[in-house]
Amino acid sequence: MRKTYMVVMIAALVAIVGNHLTSPSSGRAVSPEDFAGACAPCGAPCPVKK
């Protein structure tokens, strides 16, 4: 029973890692310059001050 459990766990781990490695990337890497005019760390623009 213990060997079966180990085989199932290893197969699940291989499936998860394989799925992660074969999925398409979200795009290009993000650099700090992309958020140069942002106030928030998420890149939200600054509100207009009057």
Side-chain angles (χ1 to χ4, degrees):
M1 185 67 176
R2 186 178 229 171
K3 289 181 182 179
T4 304
Y5 181 72
M6 291 293 287
V7 169
V8 170
M9 292 301 290
I10 291 171
L13 183 62
V14 167
I16 291 169
V17 171
N19 183 25
H20 173 71
L21 293 177
T22 58
S23 65
S25 66
S26 62
R28 63 179 182 80
V30 178
S31 68
E33 287 116 20
D34 292 341
F35 304 114
C39 290
C42 65
C46 294
V48 178
K49 294 181 181 179
K50 293 184 179 179

